[in-house]
Coordinates of all heavy atoms in Angstrom, one line a residue:
Chain A
N30 N 5.5 99.4 27.2 CA 6.9 99.6 27.0 C 7.8 98.4 27.4 O 8.6 98.0 26.6 CB 7.4 100.9 27.7 CG 7.7 102.0 26.7 OD1 7.9 101.7 25.5 ND2 7.7 103.2 27.2
W33 N 7.1 95.6 25.1 CA 7.8 95.8 23.8 C 9.3 95.4 23.9 O 9.9 94.8 23.1 CB 7.7 97.3 23.4 CG 8.1 97.5 21.9 CD1 7.4 97.5 20.8 CD2 9.5 97.8 21.5 NE1 8.1 97.7 19.7 CE2 9.4 97.9 20.1 CE3 10.7 97.9 22.1 CZ2 10.6 98.1 19.3 CZ3 11.9 98.1 21.3 CH2 11.8 98.3 19.9
F37 N 11.3 92.6 22.0 CA 12.5 93.0 21.2 C 13.6 92.0 21.5 O 14.3 91.6 20.6 CB 12.9 94.4 21.6 CG 14.2 94.8 21.1 CD1 14.4 95.0 19.7 CD2 15.3 94.9 21.9 CE1 15.7 95.3 19.2 CE2 16.6 95.3 21.4 CZ 16.8 95.5 20.1
W40 N 13.1 88.9 19.7 CA 13.5 89.1 18.3 C 15.0 89.0 18.2 O 15.6 88.4 17.3 CB 12.9 90.4 17.7 CG 13.4 90.7 16.4 CD1 12.9 90.2 15.2 CD2 14.5 91.6 16.0 NE1 13.6 90.7 14.1 CE2 14.6 91.5 14.6 CE3 15.4 92.3 16.7 CZ2 15.6 92.2 13.9 CZ3 16.4 93.0 16.0 CH2 16.5 93.0 14.6
L41 N 15.7 89.7 19.1 CA 17.1 89.8 19.0 C 17.7 88.4 19.2 O 18.6 88.0 18.4 CB 17.6 90.7 20.2 CG 19.1 91.2 20.0 CD1 19.2 92.1 18.8 CD2 19.5 92.0 21.3
T44 N 17.1 86.4 16.0 CA 18.0 86.9 14.9 C 19.4 86.4 15.1 O 20.1 86.0 14.1 CB 17.9 88.4 14.8 OG1 16.5 88.8 14.8 CG2 18.6 88.9 13.6
I45 N 19.9 86.5 16.3 CA 21.3 86.1 16.6 C 21.4 84.6 16.3 O 22.4 84.1 15.6 CB 21.8 86.4 18.0 CG1 21.9 87.9 18.1 CG2 23.1 85.7 18.3 CD1 22.1 88.4 19.6
L48 N 21.3 84.1 12.4 CA 22.6 84.5 11.7 C 23.7 83.5 12.2 O 24.6 83.2 11.3 CB 22.9 85.9 12.0 CG 22.0 87.0 11.3 CD1 22.4 88.4 11.8 CD2 22.1 86.9 9.8
L51 N 23.5 80.3 10.3 CA 23.9 80.5 8.9 C 25.4 80.6 8.8 O 26.0 80.2 7.9 CB 23.2 81.7 8.3 CG 21.7 81.5 8.0 CD1 21.1 82.8 7.6 CD2 21.5 80.5 6.9
F52 N 26.0 81.3 9.8 CA 27.4 81.5 9.8 C 28.1 80.1 9.9 O 29.1 79.8 9.2 CB 27.9 82.3 11.0 CG 29.3 82.8 10.9 CD1 29.6 84.0 10.3 CD2 30.3 82.1 11.5 CE1 30.9 84.5 10.2 CE2 31.6 82.5 11.4 CZ 31.9 83.7 10.8
E55 N 27.2 78.3 6.3 CA 27.5 79.0 5.0 C 29.0 79.5 5.0 O 29.6 79.6 4.0 CB 26.6 80.1 4.7 CG 25.1 79.6 4.6 CD 25.0 78.4 3.7 OE1 25.4 78.5 2.5 OE2 24.4 77.4 4.1
V56 N 29.5 79.9 6.2 CA 30.8 80.5 6.2 C 31.8 79.5 6.7 O 32.8 79.3 6.0 CB 30.8 81.8 7.1 CG1 32.2 82.4 7.2 CG2 29.9 82.8 6.6
M57 N 31.5 78.8 7.8 CA 32.5 77.8 8.3 C 32.3 76.5 7.6 O 33.1 75.6 7.8 CB 32.3 77.7 9.8 CG 32.7 79.1 10.5 SD 32.5 79.0 12.3 CE 34.1 78.3 12.8
M58 N 31.2 76.4 6.8 CA 31.0 75.2 6.0 C 30.8 73.9 6.8 O 31.1 72.8 6.3 CB 32.1 75.0 5.0 CG 32.3 76.1 4.0 SD 31.1 76.1 2.8 CE 31.5 77.6 1.9
P60 N 28.5 71.1 7.6 CA 27.2 70.6 7.1 C 26.2 70.4 8.2 O 26.5 69.7 9.2 CB 27.5 69.3 6.4 CG 28.9 68.9 6.8 CD 29.5 70.1 7.5
F80 N 9.3 90.3 14.6 CA 9.5 91.6 13.9 C 8.1 92.3 13.6 O 7.9 93.4 13.9 CB 10.3 91.5 12.7 CG 10.7 92.8 12.0 CD1 11.8 93.5 12.5 CD2 9.9 93.3 11.0 CE1 12.1 94.7 11.9 CE2 10.3 94.5 10.4 CZ 11.3 95.2 10.9
L83 N 6.2 93.7 16.5 CA 6.8 94.8 17.2 C 6.2 96.1 16.7 O 6.2 97.1 17.5 CB 8.3 94.8 17.0 CG 9.1 93.9 17.9 CD1 10.6 93.8 17.4 CD2 9.1 94.3 19.4
F84 N 5.7 96.2 15.5 CA 5.2 97.4 14.9 C 3.8 97.3 14.3 O 3.7 96.7 13.2 CB 6.2 97.9 13.8 CG 7.5 98.2 14.3 CD1 8.6 97.4 14.0 CD2 7.8 99.3 15.1 CE1 9.9 97.6 14.5 CE2 9.1 99.6 15.6 CZ 10.1 98.8 15.3
Chain B
M4 N 11.2 107.5 15.1 CA 10.6 106.9 16.3 C 11.7 106.1 17.0 O 12.5 105.4 16.3 CB 9.5 106.0 15.9 CG 8.5 105.8 17.0 SD 7.1 104.8 16.3 CE 7.1 103.4 17.4
K6 N 11.7 103.3 18.9 CA 11.7 101.9 18.8 C 12.3 101.4 17.4 O 13.0 100.4 17.3 CB 10.3 101.3 19.0 CG 9.9 101.4 20.5 CD 8.5 101.1 20.7 CE 8.1 101.2 22.1 NZ 6.7 101.1 22.3
Q7 N 11.9 102.1 16.4 CA 12.4 101.7 15.1 C 13.9 101.9 15.0 O 14.6 101.1 14.4 CB 11.7 102.6 14.0 CG 10.4 101.9 13.5 CD 9.4 102.9 12.9 OE1 9.7 104.1 12.9 NE2 8.4 102.4 12.3
I9 N 16.0 101.5 17.4 CA 16.6 100.4 18.1 C 16.7 99.2 17.2 O 17.8 98.6 17.1 CB 15.8 100.1 19.4 CG1 15.8 101.2 20.4 CG2 16.4 98.8 20.1 CD1 15.0 101.0 21.6
I10 N 15.6 98.9 16.6 CA 15.6 97.7 15.7 C 16.6 97.9 14.6 O 17.4 97.0 14.3 CB 14.1 97.5 15.1 CG1 13.2 97.0 16.1 CG2 14.2 96.6 13.9 CD1 13.2 95.5 16.3
F11 N 16.6 99.0 13.9 CA 17.4 99.1 12.7 C 18.9 99.2 13.1 O 19.7 98.6 12.4 CB 17.0 100.3 11.9 CG 15.8 100.0 11.1 CD1 14.6 100.6 11.4 CD2 15.8 99.0 10.1 CE1 13.4 100.3 10.7 CE2 14.6 98.6 9.5 CZ 13.4 99.3 9.8
S13 N 20.2 97.6 15.8 CA 20.6 96.2 16.1 C 20.7 95.4 14.8 O 21.6 94.6 14.7 CB 19.7 95.6 17.1 OG 18.5 96.2 17.2
L14 N 19.8 95.5 13.9 CA 19.8 94.8 12.7 C 21.1 95.1 11.9 O 21.8 94.2 11.4 CB 18.6 95.1 11.8 CG 18.3 94.1 10.7 CD1 18.1 92.7 11.3 CD2 17.1 94.5 9.9
L17 N 24.1 93.6 13.7 CA 24.2 92.1 13.5 C 24.6 91.7 12.1 O 25.4 90.8 11.9 CB 22.8 91.5 13.8 CG 22.3 91.5 15.2 CD1 20.9 91.0 15.3 CD2 23.3 90.6 16.0
V18 N 24.1 92.5 11.1 CA 24.5 92.2 9.7 C 25.9 92.5 9.5 O 26.7 91.7 8.9 CB 23.6 92.9 8.7 CG1 24.1 92.8 7.3 CG2 22.1 92.3 8.8
Y21 N 27.9 89.8 11.0 CA 27.9 88.6 10.2 C 28.9 88.7 9.0 O 29.7 87.8 8.9 CB 26.5 88.3 9.7 CG 26.3 87.1 8.8 CD1 26.1 85.9 9.5 CD2 26.5 87.1 7.5 CE1 25.9 84.7 8.8 CE2 26.4 85.9 6.7 CZ 26.1 84.7 7.4 OH 26.0 83.6 6.6
G24 N 32.4 89.1 10.3 CA 32.9 87.8 10.8 C 33.3 86.9 9.6 O 34.3 86.2 9.7
S25 N 32.4 86.8 8.6 CA 32.8 86.0 7.4 C 34.1 86.4 6.8 O 34.9 85.5 6.4 CB 31.7 86.0 6.3 OG 30.5 86.4 6.8
Y28 N 36.9 85.4 9.1 CA 37.1 83.9 9.2 C 37.8 83.4 7.9 O 38.7 82.6 8.0 CB 35.7 83.2 9.4 CG 35.8 81.7 9.4 CD1 36.2 81.1 10.5 CD2 35.6 81.0 8.2 CE1 36.4 79.7 10.6 CE2 35.7 79.6 8.3 CZ 36.1 79.0 9.4 OH 36.2 77.6 9.4
K29 N 37.3 83.9 6.8 CA 37.9 83.5 5.5 C 39.4 83.9 5.4 O 40.2 83.1 4.9 CB 37.1 84.0 4.3 CG 35.9 83.1 4.1 CD 35.1 83.6 2.9 CE 33.9 82.7 2.9 NZ 32.7 83.3 2.2
T187 N 34.7 69.8 2.9 CA 33.4 69.3 3.2 C 32.6 69.0 2.0 O 31.5 68.4 2.0 CB 32.6 70.3 4.1 OG1 32.6 71.5 3.4 CG2 33.2 70.4 5.5
K188 N 33.0 69.5 0.8 CA 32.3 69.3 -0.4 C 33.3 68.9 -1.5 O 34.4 69.3 -1.4 CB 31.5 70.6 -0.8 CG 30.4 70.9 0.0 CD 29.8 72.3 -0.2 CE 28.8 72.6 0.8 NZ 28.6 74.1 0.9
I200 N 37.7 79.5 -2.7 CA 36.6 79.8 -1.7 C 35.3 79.9 -2.4 O 34.3 79.3 -2.0 CB 37.0 81.1 -0.9 CG1 38.1 80.7 0.0 CG2 35.8 81.6 -0.1 CD1 38.6 81.7 0.9

Side-chain angles (χ1 to χ4, degrees):
Chain A
N30 251 339
W33 193 92
F37 169 73
W40 174 81
L41 198 65
T44 309
I45 291 172
L48 288 176
L51 286 171
F52 193 89
E55 301 309 305
V56 178
M57 299 178 84
M58 300 285 176
F80 185 83
L83 281 171
F84 300 107
Chain B
M4 207 174 120
K6 287 170 178 171
Q7 273 159 348
I9 296 174
I10 284 277
F11 285 110
S13 17
L14 199 59
L17 290 174
V18 169
Y21 182 86
S25 342
Y28 178 79
K29 278 180 183 157
T187 52
K188 288 169 189 160
I200 288 182

